[in-house]
Amino acid sequence: MRPILPIPVLLAWAVLLCGGTYVVTARSDAATATDGPSQQDITALKERFRRPDGVPHPKANPATPEKVTLGKALFFDPRLSRSGSVSCATCHNPSLGWSDGLTRAVGFGMVLLPRRTPPMRNLAWGSAFQWDGRADSLEAQARMPITAPDEMNMSMDLVVERLKAVPGYAPLFREAFGDEEPISARNVTAALAAFQRTLVSGKAPFDRWIEGEEAALGADARRGFALFTGKANCAACHSGWRFTDDSFHDIGLKAGDDLGRGKFAPPSVTAMRYAFKTPSLRDLRMQGPYMHDGQLGSLDAVIEHYVEGGERRPSLSFEMKPVALSTQERRDLTAFLESLAADPAALTLPHLP
Ligand code: HEC
Ligand code: HEC
């Protein structure tokens, strides 16, 4: 009989109960199939990647159409930045998969930031945000880019003051929050978070295959799925329908002085040094760049990295081991990753008050 919770989750709980305040590993049930899974194995595996229905919104910040409409306007409004020229969508550009296509983001005063802009999708199911997980909710996250001196360089007070000076915002906030004093820092971040939770990946060929449409996936992508969950061990970390375990790993990339999650863990916790959040693999921009600092420019380079197994160092995840993949197997893996992308949904830009 399987335990109710996967062992790694139980272990993570044990760590938390013992006083740990950071997640060392919360790996969800990874696939353990080897090279040639049987049809039965495939059916069981498929269940682990089935998309859920609906979108979860926290009780403390339930979504309403009015709140989402307001959040969308705020997301696209450059008045949230000190210069008046940078909105969230400047970096999280919907036509570039809610990212910017750059190796690393460009911030206030054209400063090159240390990390890449992560694409935004399926964040409603996330539990830790930013590459190092330092924000525990989207509400908390939204303050960070607004107030960071090298991003939008504002204060929340100034944001509120500016929005109060725009007559069109008062009714939008009132419809969304109905408070006496609806334009507040709290409501700005609540509306932004509610809007971001509505950004959900569309149905990809892979999803149609999971639902039983055999022809939705070519033989190459199906072989790629078997590799992904078997020999290549990708699903050890890219698990579940979002293809992330929401945990942090050092995968042995070229390291600079960015310790990632390691910045928040005691130095004795070696595994968190150079550990970054496992990104989702849905709707990957096929042309890259990839990783927290965009250091790998192509999908071929990513696969080559996993073939070599990453730099051996004490923090390297124990799930990282060199794996020999033939040219055909690399193609199959790529075909599988491509099958996780849905056609982008049409987006209507908001009307800014
Ligand atoms: C200057 C470019 C830039 C702007 C402007 C910007 N972001 Fe980001 N965003 C980034 C970068 C870079 C990261 C990764 C930061 C890190 O990990 O330290 C990020 C991370 C995020 C994340 C975490 C995603 C994840 O997968 O964990 C969210 C959510 C987000 N931004 C929302 C916003 C919102 C909301 C705004 C506007 C209020 C905004 N961003 C403005 C560049 C930007
Ligand atoms: C030990 C856990 C782990 C394993 C195993 C693993 N990954 Fe990753 N993957 C990660 C983490 C963590 C990152 C982000 C690392 C960073 O930016 O520092 C990542 C990044 C990626 C990216 C870049 C995504 C982006 O948006 O930048 C791709 C693509 C990817 N992995 C595919 C794979 C494939 C294919 C395999 C199997 C061959 C695999 N991964 C195995 C944890 C893992």
Side-chain angles (χ1 to χ4, degrees):
M1 218 180 82
R2 284 188 47 190
I4 297 173
L5 281 168
I7 302 297
V9 172
L10 290 172
L11 281 177
W13 272 19
V15 167
L16 285 174
L17 290 176
C18 292
T21 50
Y22 50 87
V23 179
V24 173
T25 170
R27 210 152 61 70
S28 51
D29 42 351
T32 48
T34 48
D35 290 29
S38 68
Q39 193 50 48
Q40 221 178 3
D41 290 339
I42 289 276
T43 310
L45 260 181
K46 275 175 148 180
E47 279 315 304
R48 296 183 179 175
F49 293 90
R50 190 183 282 276
R51 314 166 52 114
D53 294 325
V55 180
H57 287 270
K59 277 210 188 72
N61 186 19
T64 57
E66 292 78 12
K67 204 189 276 180
V68 171
T69 302
L70 170 64
K72 187 175 179 181
L74 292 170
F75 193 87
F76 283 85
D77 196 332
R79 287 169 290 194
L80 263 57
S81 67
R82 187 169 297 267
S83 65
S85 61
V86 178
S87 71
C88 308
T90 306
C91 298
H92 300 282
N93 180 337
S95 14
L96 297 170
W98 300 95
S99 179
D100 49 17
L102 301 173
T103 309
R104 282 154 54 190
V106 175
F108 191 79
M110 300 307 279
V111 169
L112 193 62
L113 299 179
R115 294 180 183 165
R116 184 181 133 231
T117 306
M120 292 203 291
R121 55 235 183 295
N122 312 320
L123 294 176
W125 288 266
S127 50
F129 305 94
Q130 311 284 45
W131 284 102
D132 52 20
R134 67 187 185 281
D136 63 2
S137 70
L138 287 175
E139 286 77 1
Q141 195 284 333
R143 271 174 184 269
M144 295 179 178
I146 296 177
T147 56
D150 54 2
E151 290 188 59
M152 297 164 92
N153 194 20
M154 278 292 257
S155 69
M156 292 311 290
D157 287 347
L158 194 50
V159 166
V160 168
E161 198 181 299
R162 277 216 194 150
L163 294 176
K164 280 185 175 163
V166 181
Y169 264 123
L172 288 182
F173 272 90
R174 219 174 306 112
E175 281 160 25
F177 295 100
D179 299 342
E180 289 284 295
E181 188 68 27
I183 303 187
S184 64
R186 190 168 173 274
N187 289 349
V188 168
T189 55
L192 281 167
F195 164 65
Q196 292 177 89
R197 289 194 179 95
T198 64
L199 306 177
V200 179
S201 293
K203 209 178 257 190
F206 176 76
D207 300 309
R208 303 209 309 274
W209 180 67
I210 294 281
E211 288 171 4
E213 192 187 320
E214 273 309 302
L217 231 54
D220 51 355
R222 269 180 276 160
R223 286 194 303 269
F225 178 58
L227 285 166
F228 188 88
T229 50
K231 175 175 150 184
N233 198 34
C234 315
C237 305
H238 298 282
S239 55
W241 75 278
R242 288 181 297 127
F243 296 90
T244 170
D245 55 3
D246 288 315
S247 192
F248 308 88
H249 310 272
D250 173 12
I251 61 166
L253 293 166
K254 196 156 51 57
D257 46 15
D258 191 344
L259 283 181
R261 188 70 172 162
K263 199 175 151 196
F264 306 100
S268 59
V269 184
T270 322
M272 288 299 105
R273 286 173 72 86
Y274 310 117
F276 292 86
K277 190 171 73 169
T278 309
S280 171
L281 300 178
R282 281 188 176 264
D283 307 307
L284 271 188
R285 290 189 76 240
M286 286 303 154
Q287 61 274 47
Y290 302 105
M291 305 301 168
H292 69 274
D293 57 359
Q295 66 174 264
L296 297 181
S298 70
L299 216 43
D300 285 348
V302 171
I303 292 179
E304 184 56 34
H305 171 79
Y306 286 112
V307 165
E308 287 169 7
E311 193 187 311
R312 309 271 111 195
R313 55 186 175 222
S315 50
L316 182 72
S317 162
F318 65 88
E319 298 287 1
M320 292 293 297
K321 297 195 181 71
V323 55
L325 294 179
S326 68
T327 310
Q328 184 60 50
E329 287 175 322
R330 290 171 194 225
R331 276 199 210 119
D332 291 346
L333 210 43
T334 306
F336 167 67
L337 292 174
E338 282 169 358
S339 80
L340 303 179
D343 292 333
L347 178 93
T348 329
L349 290 176
H351 172 74
L352 295 189

